[in-house]
Every structure is written in structure tokens, then in C-alpha cells.
């Protein structure tokens, strides 16, 4: 059965009428409500994730990314408040997830994990630093071993942790997993995580400093911060390891570092989930608005704007992408988690999923919002805010382009292969196979190594395009196997072809005019079923945008502040000049 979180007063509040800190406080309250709901038996159940409802979310669920964990990550409620999802993604996926694999050997972590599961304490994940960003392997924060523990210190401003929400402003204790360089007798023993209390309900702990950052433009606010440490004493037990005596220098420091941040790869796979629900919500909003919004045509007869092809394409595009991504995501997760013993394939699938979903989101949402005119720019209609919120997911758990560069380089060097659909299955499979082979041939012909100037100039710029094409082919293949409606398949295919029209002309022999005609045929077959397809998105319960109907708009309008008065304008006397 589904939960009823969308009916809870915390989720029906009109956040656009609240002040920034009221909204931040609401996001923390919502995060607690969602986690408590999943700690109970009756939760949102995706049709793709089979759950045993006899128990709630546990540390083991998080550690092994069980269907219950994925049900939480894919709950459409997460798309309603991205600040809330940001809290939960770090709290559950990263903090609880990192600690979970040490619980058998470190029972002293269990009380903390239980508090985190009850959301009595918020868990933070302090990895990146202001001066290093994606170069997190070279962080500067230090944890110097002493006879009675460690001294955690930020040596300079550039080494401050950026940007998890570490302030004490919202009356909830916070604890962080802080990555620091372990120094033992003056020797650098590599990067390790340490459990560090950050604040109680009222103030920061001694030696911990939080500088609150301004709000990110146009997004759901959160108390994002820059966090630093001034010689903070930690006990030996603060070291996140199965043994507190495990302080040896690793033989392969980079490999050991990747092992420390193992939850990031899973986070890369999880963070796109709300954006699939968001695509569906935006498509639904745009579709319903376009069906009732009318222009006066001949004889003053109202003509719904959905009658124009320029309005039909963005809606059809969004609906098709929403349905194809919603179908593919759980199948791709299952393939990565259960069918891929090679962790490199799991990470590759994480990158492909995130890249494909995020770039689809960035194309669909602005297009639909723009076709809703001035209404599409207001926060209460969801689209403009979720578009800005979406920019944050591009960098969360790994910047999309950087992830693509690394994966693409590994594929070209033959470190491993990602299973692709047979090229005979579809044009999209041909496209992906061709692009990968084209760049592999170029790399071989250039006879250069992957860090050369030639590789940087000619091959790296193709990274994201190729990784996206792999995602398109895999998603379309999954849609075929799942028997999604042909109009959905055809519109999705046309949308992907738009992104590389030249290849389909040059290599597949589909001229520009033929591509235009294919698109026309696809949209024409889609439109008679628009109403049914909007219902099949199964997102209506989570949509509160008032422009979906005239009735909803009038109800919303009555809730807005009205300014009126009894003032009368003063009439100035003017003397005529002849």
C-alpha cells in the first residue's frame, strides 16, 4: 500500500508564503516525518520494488540498499522538497550508510545509528573542501593521533568543509562524518572518516565553526554552511573503521580512499530518483494547463493552446521521458546492485543513470515551463523552482561531466565494458555503439595516452555525449521489453534523435526531413491519448500547482493576501497657460 504523506499538513503547507528560515525548519520536520514513516511498516511501495511490510527501514536495509531503501529514495514525496531530500540523502545514504558496514565489529556505533534512524540527530557528510572541490583526494583537514585520541584541525581557510548544513539554528543536534588526513608520528596515513559531534539543539560544540552561506538562487533554502575545526579533540573511537587500531598506511592510497567513500557511488545512483518524479510532475502540470488554457480564435471561439504543435511537443516529450525513465530506473538499479558482481560496472551504471536522468530533466523542464508563459515562472507552480533545484543535483555525489570523463576514459582504455543492447534492436542502440567505436578508433589512431593534450582536446569533449547515448539506448531497450505504448517509444526516440541529428543523417541515413516527418507521426499518434498518458504518470496526488485547472487557481487565489484601503487620491489643480 502507499503512504499518505502527500496529505499530511507538513506537505500541504504553502511554502512559497513562508520566510526562508521557516521553510528550512519545515524541511527538517518533513525529513523527520518521512524517515519515521519508513521506520514503520506501511510505506510507499513502488511497483518495481517488492517489499516485506513486516518491518521498517533498518541499518541493514541502508547498508545493502534493499528494496526498502530504494523505495524511500524513489518516493515521489521527495520531489516536493529538494531541501528535505538533500537532508535525507546525506543522513541516510551517506552517514548511516557509511557507519552501517562497521556495526558488527563496532557495536559502540549502534546507539548513534539508532539515533540517526529515529532522526533524533541529523547526520552530515563532510568530505569536500572549499579549496579542492572535486579534488577531494587531496584534502587538507588533519586528524593528528595523540596518546588519548586525535586532534582534528582545519589548517587554512581553503581547507574548510563545503557545504553541508552544519548550523545549530533549527533545534536539532548534528553529527558529522568528517574526512581528514590521518597523521601518526608525523606520517600521512591517508584519508579517513571520523565521527565528530557538530552541535546540540542550541549551539556549536567547542572548536567547531559554521559559517552559514546565503541561499542558492531560486531554490528551496537550507542552512548550507562552511565548516571548520580548531584543534577539536576526538577519542580513539571516533575513527570510522572496523578496528580503532586500523591506522596503518594503505599500500594503495587512492584505492583505499575510494573504499572509504564507497557510499558516494551508490549516492550517484540514488540522487537522480526525485528528478524522475519531477519530470513527470512538470509534464502533468504543463499538460493539464495546456488543455484548459485557451485563446480566442475565429468567431471568438476559445481554442485550447494544446492544439498548437509547438505546445504539443514539449508536453509529449516530457511525458515520454517521464514514463521511459520511471520504467528504466528500477531495472537499471537492479542490474547494478544484483546482476553486476564487478564494482566497476556498478559505478559505471551509477554514472550512466545520473547523467541520463539529469540531462533529460534539464531539457524537458525549462521547455515546458516556458510554454506555460508567465505562470511558469512562479514558485507556486513548481516548475521554475524545481528547475533551479535541479542544478544542485548535477554536482551532488559527483559532478556529471567529471563522472562522464572518468568513465569514458576507462571505457576507451578497455578497463571494462558496459553491456549495450544489440545495434540491430534500435536506432538508439546503433547510435551508442557507433559513437563509442568512433572514439575508440580515434584514440587508437592517435596513439596517445589518456592524459595527453590530444586526448584532452579531441576526445574528452565527447565524454558526456557518449555516456548519455549509452543511457538512451539502455532506457529505450528497457522500454521495449516492458511493452511501453508505441507513441511513448516513438516520441522518446525522436527526442533523442534531436540531440544528434547529424549522426542520424550521416550514419543511419535518416534525412532531416525524414526526422521531421517521424516526429510529426509520433506526436500525432501521441496526442489522442494525452489524457490517458497524463493519468498513467501516476503523479497527480503530488501536484499542487494551481494552474492545472481553473478551479484550482481560483481556490489558490483566495488564500493569497489581498491589499485594499480607503485612501482617495489628491487631485492637483492645474492652471491653464495660454
Amino acid at each position: 500500500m502507499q503512504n499518505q504523506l502527500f496529505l499530511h499538513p507538513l506537505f500541504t503547507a504553502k511554502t512559497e508564503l513562508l520566510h526562508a528560515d521557516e521553510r528550512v525548519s519545515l524541511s527538517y520536520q518533513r525529513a523527520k516525518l518521512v524517515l519515521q514513516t519508513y521506520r514503520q511498516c506501511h510505506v510507499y511501495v513502488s511497483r518495481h520494488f517488492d517489499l516485506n511490510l513486516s518491518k521498517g527501514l533498518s541499518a541493514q536495509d541502508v547498508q545493502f540498499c534493499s528494496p526498502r531503501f530504494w523505495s524511500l529514495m524513489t518516493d515521489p514525496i521527495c520531489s516536493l522538497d529538494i531541501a528535505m531530500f538533500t537532508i535525507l540523502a546525506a543522513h541516510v545514504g551517506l552517514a548511516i550508510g557509511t557507519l552501517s558496514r562497521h556495526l558488527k565489529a563496532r557495536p559502540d556505533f549502534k546507539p548513534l545509528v539508532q539515533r540517526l534512524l529515529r532522526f533524533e540527530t541529523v547526520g552530515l557528510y563532510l568530505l569536500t573542501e572549499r579549496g579542492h572541490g572535486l579534488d577531494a583526494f587531496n584534502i587538507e583537514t588533519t586528524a593528528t593521533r595523540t596518546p588519548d585520541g586525535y586532534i582534528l584541525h582545519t589548517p587554512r581557510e581553503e581547507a574548510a568543509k563545503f557545504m553541508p548544513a552544519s548550523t545549530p539554528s533549527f533545534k536539532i543536534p548534528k553529527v558529522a562524518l568528517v574526512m581528514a588526513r590521518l597523521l601518526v608520528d608525523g606520517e600521512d596515513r591517508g584519508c579517513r572518516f571520523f565521527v565528530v559531534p557538530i552541535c546540540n539543539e542550541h549551539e556549536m560544540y567547542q572548536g567547531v565553526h559554521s559559517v552559514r552561506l546565503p541561499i542558492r538562487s531560486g531554490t528551496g533554502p537550507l542552512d548550507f554552511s562552511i565548516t571548520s575545526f580548531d584543534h577539536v579533540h576526538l577519542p580513539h573511537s571516533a575513527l570510522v573503521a572496523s578496528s580503532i587500531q586500523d591506522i596503518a598506511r594503505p599500500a594503495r592510497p587512492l584505492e583505499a580512499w575510494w573504499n572509504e567513500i564507497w557510499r558516494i557511488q551508490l549516492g550517484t545512483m540514488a540522487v537522480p530518483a526525485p528528478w524522475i518524479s519531477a519530470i513527470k510532475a512538470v509534464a502533468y502540470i504543463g499538460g493539464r494547463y495546456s488543455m484548459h488554457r485557451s485563446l480566442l480564435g475565429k468567431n471568438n471561439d476559445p481554442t485550447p493552446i494544446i492544439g498548437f504543435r509547438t505546445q504539443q511537443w514539449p508536453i509529449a516529450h516530457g511525458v515520454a521521458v517521464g514514463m521511459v525513465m520511471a520504467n528504466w530506473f528500477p531495472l537499471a538499479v537492479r542490474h547494478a546492485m544484483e546482476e553486476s558482481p564487478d564494482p566497476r560496472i556498478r559505478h559505471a551504471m551509477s554514472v550512466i543513470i545520473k547523467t541520463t536522468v539529469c540531462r533529460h530533466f534539464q531539457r524537458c523542464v525549462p521547455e515546458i515551463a516556458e510554454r506555460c508563459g508567465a505562470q511558469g515562472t512562479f514558485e507556486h507552480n513548481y516548475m521554475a523552482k524545481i528547475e533551479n533545484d535541479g542544478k544542485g543535483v548535477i554536482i551532488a555525489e559527483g559532478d556529471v561531466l567529471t563522472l562522464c570523463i572518468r568513465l569514458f576514459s576507462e571505457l576507451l582504455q578497455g578497463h571494462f565494458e558496459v553491456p549495450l543492447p544489440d545495434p540491430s534492436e534500435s536506432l538508439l542502440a546503433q547510435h551508442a555503439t557507433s559513437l563509442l567505436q568512433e572514439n575508440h578508433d580515434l584514440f587508437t589512431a592517435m596513439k596517445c595516452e589518456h592524459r595527453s593534450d590530444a586526448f584532452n582536446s579531441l576526445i574528452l569533449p565527447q565524454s558526456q555525449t557518449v555516456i548519455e547515448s549509452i543511457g538512451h539506448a539502455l532506457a529505450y531497450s528497457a522500454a521495449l521489453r516492458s511493452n511501453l505504448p508505441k507513441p511513448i517509444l516513438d516520441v522518446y526516440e525522436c527526442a533523442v534523435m534531436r540531440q544528434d541529428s547529424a549522426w542520424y543523417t550521416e550514419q543511419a541515413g535518416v534525412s532531416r526531413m525524414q526526422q521531421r516527418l517521424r516526429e510529426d507521426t509520433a506526436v500525432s499518434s501521441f496526442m489522442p491519448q494525452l489524457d490517458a498518458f497524463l493519468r498513467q504518470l501516476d503523479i497527480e496526488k503530488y501536484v499542487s500547482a494551481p494552474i492545472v485547472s481553473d478551479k484550482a487557481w481560483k481556490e489558490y487565489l483566495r488564500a493569497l493576501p489581498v491589499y485594499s484601503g480607503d485612501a482617495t487620491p489628491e487631485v492637483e489643480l492645474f492652471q491653464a497657460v495660454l
Side-chain angles (χ1 to χ4, degrees):
M1 64 178 292
Q2 291 187 344
N3 64 56
Q4 301 291 306
L5 283 169
F6 57 89
L7 296 176
H8 194 281
L10 288 180
F11 284 100
T12 58
K14 293 179 173 57
T15 56
E16 66 273 12
L17 303 182
L18 301 176
H19 295 297
D21 275 5
E22 292 175 320
R23 295 176 65 175
V24 177
S25 178
L26 180 63
S27 293
Y28 279 107
Q29 294 175 61
R30 286 172 167 178
K32 183 173 185 177
L33 173 66
V34 170
L35 191 53
Q36 287 178 337
T37 300
Y38 274 84
R39 288 281 289 162
Q40 299 167 359
C41 295
H42 302 294
V43 297
Y44 171 78
V45 180
S46 165
R47 68 181 186 274
H48 298 288
F49 295 109
D50 298 325
L51 297 183
N52 174 5
L53 296 180
S54 62
K55 64 175 184 176
L57 185 77
S58 66
Q60 190 175 36
D61 286 317
V62 178
Q63 179 182 356
F64 296 106
C65 296
S66 74
R68 192 174 301 277
F69 168 81
W70 286 112
S71 187
L72 166 60
M73 293 292 108
T74 57
D75 192 321
I77 204 71
C78 293
S79 67
L80 299 190
D81 186 342
I82 298 305
M84 175 201 74
F85 178 72
T86 301
I87 296 167
L88 286 173
H91 177 84
V92 177
L94 299 180
I96 296 176
T98 298
L99 292 172
S100 63
R101 74 173 178 181
H102 299 292
L103 289 178
K104 284 188 177 180
R106 294 288 303 276
D108 55 306
F109 282 155
K110 289 182 179 180
L112 171 59
V113 170
Q114 288 303 310
R115 291 199 305 275
L116 293 172
L117 285 168
R118 294 191 297 266
F119 209 82
E120 294 171 357
T121 299
V122 169
L124 307 178
Y125 192 82
L126 302 186
L127 170 62
T128 58
E129 296 177 352
R130 207 281 297 169
H132 292 281
L134 295 172
D135 185 24
F137 178 66
N138 292 308
I139 60 164
E140 299 178 53
T141 301
T142 58
T144 304
R145 184 175 171 85
T146 65
D148 58 348
Y150 300 93
I151 299 298
L152 183 69
H153 185 62
T154 303
R156 62 187 187 125
E157 180 273 324
E158 291 83 353
K161 298 297 183 179
F162 189 92
M163 59 182 203
S166 62
T167 78
S169 303
F170 299 94
K171 299 180 180 179
I172 185 165
K174 296 179 180 179
V175 64
L177 302 187
V178 179
M179 177 157 278
R181 309 200 76 82
L182 172 59
L183 303 181
V184 180
D185 298 328
E187 181 186 20
D188 185 344
R189 301 284 179 89
C191 298
R192 307 293 288 272
F193 277 115
F194 295 83
V195 176
V196 183
I198 298 297
C199 65
N200 60 25
E201 297 93 330
H202 309 291
E203 62 181 333
M204 306 298 293
Y205 286 114
Q206 188 173 10
V208 184
H209 306 287
S210 176
V211 177
R212 185 169 177 180
L213 293 164
I215 295 172
R216 295 190 297 179
S217 298
T219 64
L222 194 58
D223 54 326
F224 291 121
S225 311
I226 299 176
T227 311
S228 59
F229 306 94
D230 184 4
H231 297 91
V232 176
H233 177 263
L234 302 173
H236 286 299
S237 59
L239 178 66
V240 178
S242 293
S243 169
I244 61 173
Q245 304 302 324
D246 179 16
I247 58 172
R249 177 178 173 80
R252 298 181 178 86
L254 182 58
E255 185 177 315
W257 179 77
W258 277 109
N259 185 54
E260 287 289 313
I261 63 167
W262 67 286
R263 291 299 299 195
I264 289 288
Q265 296 182 10
L266 297 171
T268 300
M269 194 185 304
V271 294
W275 309 104
I276 298 174
S277 294
I279 292 170
K280 295 198 293 183
V282 169
Y284 183 88
I285 294 165
R288 289 301 181 201
Y289 173 75
S290 301
M291 292 168 75
H292 79 82
R293 180 72 168 182
S294 299
L295 303 175
L296 289 181
K298 293 181 179 179
N299 303 318
N300 287 330
D301 293 329
T303 301
I305 60 175
I306 195 63
F308 297 96
R309 186 63 104 209
T310 49
Q311 198 76 12
Q312 293 169 0
W313 169 257
I315 306 305
H317 180 200
V319 171
V321 167
M323 291 180 70
V324 170
M325 291 295 101
N327 175 75
W328 176 54
F329 182 80
L331 299 175
V333 166
R334 185 173 299 125
H335 172 73
M337 300 300 298
E338 300 174 9
E339 302 169 15
S340 302
D342 188 339
R344 297 174 302 175
I345 300 297
R346 178 179 297 175
H347 184 242
M349 286 303 302
S350 297
V351 174
I352 293 167
I353 291 169
K354 179 176 180 180
T355 301
T356 307
V357 172
C358 289
R359 294 313 186 199
H360 271 317
F361 172 90
Q362 288 186 306
R363 294 185 183 100
C364 290
V365 172
E367 189 177 30
I368 295 174
E370 183 177 308
R371 300 320 313 143
C372 292
Q375 294 273 29
T377 67
F378 282 89
E379 185 172 344
H380 53 261
N381 287 322
Y382 184 70
M383 295 174 283
K385 185 174 77 68
I386 200 66
E387 180 184 347
N388 283 327
D389 275 323
K391 294 170 184 175
V393 78
I394 300 302
I395 60 168
E397 323 297 14
D399 176 272
V400 163
L401 181 56
T402 304
L403 291 171
C404 288
I405 288 171
R406 180 169 181 249
L407 174 56
F408 188 47
S409 299
E410 290 175 332
L411 293 176
L412 290 186
Q413 293 174 83
H415 291 175
F416 56 88
E417 294 182 356
V418 174
L420 281 171
D422 191 280
S424 64
E425 182 183 77
S426 69
L427 282 172
L428 305 193
Q430 291 179 41
H431 181 237
T433 302
S434 173
L435 291 188
L436 195 57
Q437 187 62 48
E438 174 186 285
N439 283 278
H440 184 272
D441 292 346
L442 177 60
F443 179 47
T444 302
M446 289 166 54
K447 298 180 180 179
C448 64
E449 56 96 25
H450 70 287
R451 298 188 186 277
S452 67
D453 289 341
F455 192 93
N456 175 55
S457 300
L458 291 175
I459 295 181
L460 281 194
Q462 306 305 313
S463 299
Q464 182 180 291
T465 300
V466 177
I467 299 306
E468 264 195 279
S469 73
I470 294 172
H472 297 151
L474 291 171
Y476 186 81
S477 179
L480 282 173
R481 294 195 305 273
S482 298
N483 296 314
L484 263 61
K486 190 174 187 303
I488 297 297
L489 293 171
D490 291 346
V491 170
Y492 183 79
E493 180 185 63
C494 289
V496 173
M497 290 175 69
R498 272 191 174 199
Q499 296 175 36
D500 195 0
S501 178
W503 183 91
Y504 290 96
T505 298
E506 296 172 354
Q507 303 297 326
V510 185
S511 70
R512 290 171 56 250
M513 182 56 68
Q514 288 174 319
Q515 291 177 44
R516 189 187 304 179
L517 293 174
R518 287 170 73 102
E519 190 173 296
D520 178 65
T521 300
V523 177
S524 294
S525 68
F526 173 94
M527 286 309 299
Q529 303 176 67
L530 173 59
D531 186 69
F533 287 147
L534 291 178
R535 290 197 303 270
Q536 289 172 34
L537 290 173
D538 194 26
I539 200 70
E540 181 179 4
K541 297 186 295 291
Y542 300 89
V543 170
S544 60
I547 60 168
V548 294
S549 70
D550 196 54
K551 177 184 176 183
W553 169 252
K554 286 179 167 57
E555 289 177 355
Y556 181 80
L557 193 61
R558 286 195 289 270
L560 297 179
V562 177
Y563 297 89
S564 58
D566 296 318
T568 55
E570 294 183 7
V571 179
E572 295 186 20
L573 298 177
F574 294 92
Q575 184 173 352
V577 178
L578 298 178

